[in-house]
Amino acid sequence: MGDLTAHFSRHEFRLPQDKAEEFGFSETPYPEEWVATRLRPLCMALEVLRDGLGGRPITPISGYRPREYDAARIAAGHKGVSPTSLHNHGLAADIQVAGVAPAKVREVALRLHALKQVTWGGVGLYDDFVHLDLRQILNGPGKLRLWP
């Protein structure tokens, strides 16, 4: 049982201590001032995706990340980290679904978007996870951004 939606809690979207320490940071909670307007809509969209995946549990592997943390990762040579990441704004989640290939998760996310059951702003496919974001909350309605 989640504290935001049926299956998601705010602590799942923080920068956890183990990841933070890799770059000299401390665990960072999801910003309280964004919970109602950013995190709750993101979790509601993830609930729609969870239903679309037959109720399979979704594991957020990365949620909110402070800009300084991502800057340190970029400086260390990490690839795929954007200096304008929506994770810095609390509007993105990188997720995994046990037993479901990331390509299939992306396919279901896009089908739900096409059916207007959920509105994603961006959907990114990586080797072992899918990035989903609600960039439209900051930028207004726009074209769905897909990568690669």
Side-chain angles (χ1 to χ4, degrees), residues 53-73:
L53 291 163
R56 296 184 80 101
I58 292 174
T59 302
I61 60 168
S62 185
Y64 173 70
R65 300 191 307 247
R67 187 177 315 277
E68 300 79 16
Y69 173 80
D70 275 354
R73 293 173 67 213

Side-chain angles (χ1 to χ4, degrees), residues 87-148:
H87 289 276
N88 305 152
H89 298 279
L91 290 168
D94 296 337
I95 64 163
Q96 294 175 327
V97 181
V100 183
K104 180 65 175 177
V105 174
R106 180 180 193 250
E107 175 188 312
V108 172
L110 293 176
R111 180 173 43 82
L112 294 169
H113 181 84
L115 293 170
K116 298 187 185 321
Q117 292 181 15
V118 66
T119 302
W120 304 113
V123 178
L125 178 63
Y126 294 85
D127 290 341
D128 59 349
F129 67 91
V130 173
H131 167 98
L132 299 163
D133 70 57
L134 300 181
R135 66 187 63 221
Q136 67 275 15
I137 289 176
L138 282 184
N139 305 330
K143 184 178 175 189
L144 174 64
R145 181 165 182 264
L146 302 174
W147 67 95

